[in-house]
Structure formats: C-alpha cells, structure tokens
Amino acid sequence: QELHSESSTRPHDVGAMRIHPRILSLFSSGHSIWKSMATLLTSVQRSTLLLALLLSTTLLSTAGVDAHNGRLAMGLPLDDITVDGDLSDWPEDLPRYAITMAEFGKPPSGPQDFAADFRVGYSPTTHRIYVAVEVVDESTVLHRKGRSNWDNADGCDLYIGLEHESYGGPVAQLAMWGNDRHAMGAASLRSFEVATTERPKGRVYEWSVDADAFQSKPLHDGFDLAFDIVVADVDEDGSFSWMAWGARSSKLASPMRLGDVMLVGAGADL
C-alpha cells in the first residue's frame, strides 16, 4: 500500500508532453505576469514562448530527468576514497542533498530531533558508487536484543536501480540497521561496503557500492542512475521516523519510485 499521497504538483501529460501544473495554471488562470507579457509580445512571439516551454518539459522527460519521484542529484568523479566512516577525504564543495521527506512514521519535531544530508560520487575506473550520509540526531538508538530491523533501530538504506529505462527493472536495497548490514532485492552483501562513525549528536554512514554487481554497463559521464536514500530515526521515547530523500515508499518495488542521480564528468560546467 502506498504510504505517501501523490503530490498535486506532479507533471501532467498533454499529448506526448509532460507539463508541470504550475506552468499550466499560469497560462490557464490569466496570471498577471503572463497578462503583462501578453501586452508586449505579438501572437507569434507568445506562440514561440509557449512552444519553448513545452519542448523544454518534453526534453527533460525524454532525458529521464524528473522521470521518477522528482528528485535529481549530480554525482561527480571521486578518487582515493577510503570507506572508514571518516569523511575528511571527501571534497567539501561536493553538492549536498537534504533528506527531508517523512514518508512513514512521525515527522521529526525539528532539526535538533533529526536532520540529514548526503553527497554522492562515482569512480569511472573502478565502477564504484560512493555515498556519504551525515545525520544529526539528538537520540541515537542502535542496539536492540537480537538482530536490528528497519523500524527498531537507527539506520540507513540505499536504493539503486541501474536498468533505469525499465518500469519493472531490478532494484537493489542496501541497508545498515543499527550495527547490522542487510541486502535485499538485486543486492548481495558482497556488493557493498559501509562504515559508520558515531557523533555526540548523530551518525555518519559511508558507502561504497560495486556497480558491476548489478549490470554490465560501465559508469560514465551522462549515466542516469535511479537512486534513493532513506534514514530511519528511532528515539528513546519509542517514536519512529522513516525519512526519505524522494517521495514514495515501497521503493524496492520499481526504479520508478526512486530519484535520479546524473553522473557528470570531471570537467563538467556546473
């Protein structure tokens, strides 16, 4: 069962084109901006502007951007990353992406209760995907009797789909729940490394994933990776938050429920 109500701001289909409802509303409601522009533009210019907007949304859809749950990140080349929970070898200027969507459980009471972000990169030579996750958490719960589960200890999950163009392609779920590693779907425990470091108010997760374990295509500039990340926050009072980067739960079901990471080259103009 879907745990997240679909957003009313998702793109709509008009013929073969996917148009964001905000764009539609501007044209259909006679928004003052467009009224002002209409007084300055000829009918040919207005038609050209509309066509350009429609083509831009079509090209984004065709390229796979915003083709899944709407989240988009950039993955840059990384070298000399040691997976040990120490992020001092990560570039500080790498883009950070906040994990803010409470897709299940109780939303955090504020940033002191929970806040998290991640950075992502890749190695075009070793075909590994690297992810660094930093969590702020005022109540860390790691140890449980028996084996930790997704909802009884703090944890982190990566979801990766490499057959991106397929609605039903395989998804790998890699997890660190408490101090226990788990692999589900297309993943195996041999396909990834993860290291953690505890902080006074939070935790670090550092991941290295072998992309060759999931598919034969090498990682390269322009590769579009279906990707999502979840951080589970269990507090001492028993409250639980399942915080995701992108919308939707049941992410193991299909790569269409994940976000997108576009891999870019070292010399890319960002």
Side-chain angles (χ1 to χ4, degrees):
Q1 182 179 1
E2 183 59 61
L3 298 174
H4 177 78
S5 59
E6 300 298 336
S7 170
S8 61
T9 61
R10 295 198 180 283
H12 293 282
D13 289 323
V14 178
M17 300 179 181
R18 300 172 71 247
I19 306 174
H20 200 282
R22 290 178 182 171
I23 295 176
L24 287 175
S25 66
L26 289 174
F27 282 97
S28 62
S29 65
H31 194 277
S32 59
I33 296 175
W34 296 103
K35 286 180 178 179
S36 300
M37 291 180 65
T39 64
L40 300 175
L41 301 176
T42 67
S43 60
V44 173
Q45 289 172 324
R46 289 197 297 272
S47 298
T48 302
L49 175 61
L50 176 58
L51 179 60
L53 286 169
L54 295 178
L55 286 175
S56 67
T57 55
T58 303
L59 289 172
L60 287 175
S61 176
T62 303
V65 178
D66 196 20
H68 296 96
N69 66 20
R71 291 293 194 181
L72 176 64
M74 290 184 298
L76 279 70
L78 292 176
D79 294 313
D80 302 323
I81 297 295
T82 301
V83 180
D84 54 5
D86 178 2
L87 304 184
S88 61
D89 51 355
W90 281 71
E92 277 298 325
D93 59 351
L94 211 62
R96 293 174 181 263
Y97 302 94
I99 302 168
T100 60
M101 307 193 76
E103 292 298 294
F104 184 71
K106 180 182 177 181
S109 59
Q112 76 287 344
D113 179 24
F114 172 88
D117 63 42
F118 73 92
R119 289 171 281 174
V120 59
Y122 73 104
S123 170
T125 54
T126 63
H127 301 166
R128 299 195 76 86
I129 302 163
Y130 296 102
V131 183
V133 186
E134 296 180 80
V135 180
V136 175
D137 184 4
E138 65 179 356
S139 176
T140 302
V141 177
L142 300 177
H143 305 287
R144 294 291 189 183
K145 292 183 179 179
R147 191 165 173 80
S148 298
N149 206 347
W150 68 277
D151 60 351
N152 71 0
D154 287 351
C156 182
D157 300 65
L158 301 186
Y159 296 86
I160 297 175
L162 293 165
E163 299 297 331
H164 200 193
E165 65 279 357
S166 171
Y167 281 78
V171 175
Q173 180 181 356
L174 321 173
M176 186 69 168
W177 299 335
N179 292 314
D180 300 320
R181 295 196 314 148
H182 301 260
M184 288 142 283
S188 70
L189 291 176
R190 297 188 302 273
S191 62
F192 71 99
E193 301 173 62
V194 58
T196 62
T197 299
E198 318 316 323
R199 291 176 172 175
K201 292 292 183 179
R203 199 180 198 197
V204 170
Y205 300 86
E206 187 175 24
W207 301 81
S208 173
V209 182
D210 181 10
D212 289 339
F214 308 120
Q215 53 94 52
S216 58
K217 298 177 182 178
L219 301 179
H220 57 82
D221 180 11
F223 193 98
D224 192 4
L225 177 71
F227 177 89
D228 219 314
I229 185 167
V230 168
V231 176
D233 178 26
V234 177
D235 291 337
E236 291 291 350
D237 62 4
S239 61
F240 173 73
S241 304
W242 198 78
M243 304 296 298
W245 174 50
R248 302 178 180 176
S249 57
S250 304
K251 296 180 183 293
L252 190 60
S254 167
M256 302 305 294
R257 307 182 77 82
L258 311 181
D260 295 79
V261 171
M262 183 65 68
L263 304 186
V264 298
D269 182 6
L270 304 180

